[in-house]
Amino acid sequence: MSWFRRKSTPINSLAIIPPKPLPGRSGIAIAVIVKDEASYIEEWAMFHKAVGISHFLVYDNGSTDATCSILQSVLTAGELTIIPWSGKMYLESRFINSQVLAFSHAVCTFGGRFSRIAFIDVDEFLLPRKGGTIEEALEATQGFPNVSLPWHMFGTGGHKVRPQGPVVMNYTWRNDDPLSKAKHLSNFKCIVDPCEVVEVTVHQFKTRSFGDLTVNDAGFRTTRDGRKKRSFYSNEYLQLNHYYCKSAQEMAEKIARGSDYIVSADFLKKKMETTRQNIEASLVEDRSMVEFVTGRSIALSRPEISSVAPPSRWQSASPNRDA
């Protein structure tokens, strides 16, 4: 293995030996890769803690801002593990997807401690639609070891510059079709029993008992390819919100920062612009997150540094309105 850049077909899946369950294993963890997410990480961590995530496995890809210190302020030592995770790894000439490596490490190293691990990003939020916690929302899956949740893709919400207040309270306009065939709009993230996982990718897992079979939040079972069928779609119990764009300003800043993966700046810009256009081609207002947060009085920032307006004033811009 080497730590320098080469060009070749990347390795996007890894086979693993699942960990043995440890005595008393319980709870739902999140595994996530972060880099310079200080502007958003507090809200994301506080929300997921409020909906029952018991531990955060944070793979830090060389953050130079306050991302890690914010996490350490929001979460206790028993709720947080930070793993330094920078650099790129190759097998011979093939780049190994960094997320796949991190997710495999999370399963093999920590998986025996938890009943489930969710594999999401910092711009993705797990919203319970039934019950107040993710564990309650997953009851309909009846313990199936591989749950697939479709993206619900949110656009700029009409915001040209970053609005004051939390992301989840400011962005309520999303594409109306989570299974859209438009480019870059449809994919899944997974919540798995780590002690069953035998193969890891970013968007799908295989388990030793069921292979590539997976269920939706309502417990409907299908194959990996079957997830794209209309019959698989459900957000009745648990919804995955993907706040892809945020404001036009933030999207431009993200494009300017570039990608840590092996893609050119031009490719990244084209992909993000295409995705935004496709999201906003057909919109529906979705205030389920706003209603959940306000209805349960969930705090999304620490009181001592909070400078945002109270929940009753947080509003998303109309997608046709400047902000």
Side-chain angles (χ1 to χ4, degrees):
M1 293 191 181
S2 58
W3 292 84
F4 52 89
R5 180 171 177 171
R6 298 178 182 176
K7 292 183 178 180
S8 188
T9 305
I11 295 172
N12 290 320
S13 66
L14 289 175
I16 64 171
I17 297 173
K20 294 180 179 179
L22 297 176
R25 77 169 179 138
S26 63
I28 302 174
I30 283 179
V32 63
I33 296 182
V34 302
K35 182 175 182 179
D36 294 337
E37 297 286 355
S39 296
Y40 309 105
I41 198 69
E42 179 178 23
E43 171 190 354
W44 180 87
M46 291 186 69
F47 175 82
H48 284 104
K49 179 177 178 178
V51 295
I53 294 299
S54 61
H55 202 87
F56 294 78
L57 302 168
V58 178
Y59 288 77
D60 178 40
N61 186 19
S63 293
T64 58
D65 65 4
T67 297
C68 293
S69 61
I70 291 171
L71 284 169
Q72 290 164 339
S73 297
V74 169
L75 303 170
T76 68
E79 296 167 335
L80 175 65
T81 301
I82 297 177
I83 305 98
W85 201 259
S86 59
K88 295 179 172 65
M89 188 172 290
Y90 291 76
L91 179 61
E92 297 179 350
S93 62
R94 299 181 66 192
F95 171 67
I96 305 174
N97 184 295
S98 298
Q99 279 188 291
V100 172
L101 270 176
F103 292 174
S104 299
H105 182 271
V107 171
C108 294
T109 307
F110 306 106
R113 296 166 49 186
F114 306 108
S115 297
R116 294 182 186 260
I117 299 179
F119 296 89
I120 63 173
D121 293 328
V122 174
D123 58 0
E124 296 169 339
F125 287 71
L126 292 163
L127 169 63
R129 300 290 299 264
K130 293 283 180 73
T133 67
I134 295 169
E135 186 171 12
E136 291 171 349
L138 286 171
E139 288 178 1
T141 66
Q142 298 182 342
F144 197 84
N146 187 1
V147 180
S148 293
L149 302 173
W151 279 339
H152 292 73
M153 297 286 280
F154 288 73
T156 63
H159 295 291
K160 289 189 174 181
V161 298
R162 181 178 179 177
Q164 186 182 39
V167 169
V168 298
M169 307 302 278
N170 281 309
Y171 297 91
T172 63
W173 292 89
R174 65 169 174 86
N175 186 266
D176 63 0
D177 184 5
L179 296 184
S180 171
K181 295 189 182 301
K183 202 168 186 180
H184 307 310
L185 288 198
S186 179
N187 219 322
F188 299 82
K189 289 297 180 71
C190 297
I191 304 175
V192 301
D193 177 348
C195 295
E196 282 287 317
V197 172
V198 294
E199 184 176 289
V200 178
T201 68
V202 174
H203 298 284
Q204 171 62 4
F205 292 71
K206 287 184 179 179
T207 62
R208 62 180 160 194
S209 298
F210 296 97
D212 74 345
L213 292 179
T214 186
V215 299
N216 65 12
D217 66 316
F220 178 82
R221 190 181 304 185
T222 190
T223 62
R224 173 177 182 163
D225 292 340
R227 299 183 301 176
K228 297 281 185 171
K229 295 180 179 179
R230 294 287 169 186
S231 58
F232 184 75
Y233 175 73
S234 171
N235 68 339
E236 183 178 358
Y237 297 90
L238 185 61
Q239 178 171 308
L240 177 62
N241 285 1
H242 188 181
Y243 297 94
Y244 182 83
C245 298
K246 304 184 181 73
S247 68
Q249 173 193 10
E250 291 162 285
M251 182 174 164
E253 291 170 351
K254 185 174 181 179
I255 291 171
R257 287 197 302 270
S259 172
D260 284 326
Y261 301 100
I262 302 180
V263 296
S264 68
D266 288 342
F267 177 90
L268 178 65
K269 181 177 180 180
K270 182 178 180 181
K271 178 182 177 182
M272 293 192 67
E273 290 288 357
T274 298
T275 304
R276 181 195 61 77
Q277 291 170 10
N278 288 339
I279 290 172
E280 297 180 347
S282 185
L283 290 168
V284 63
E285 188 170 22
D286 182 345
R287 297 186 63 82
S288 55
M289 176 65 86
V290 174
E291 292 165 1
F292 182 85
V293 170
T294 56
R296 295 179 180 273
S297 301
I298 295 175
L300 298 174
S301 62
R302 290 164 289 172
E304 65 271 20
I305 64 171
S306 177
S307 60
V308 297
S312 61
R313 293 181 56 195
W314 284 325
Q315 297 181 18
S316 172
S318 163
N320 297 315
R321 188 187 85 192
D322 290 348

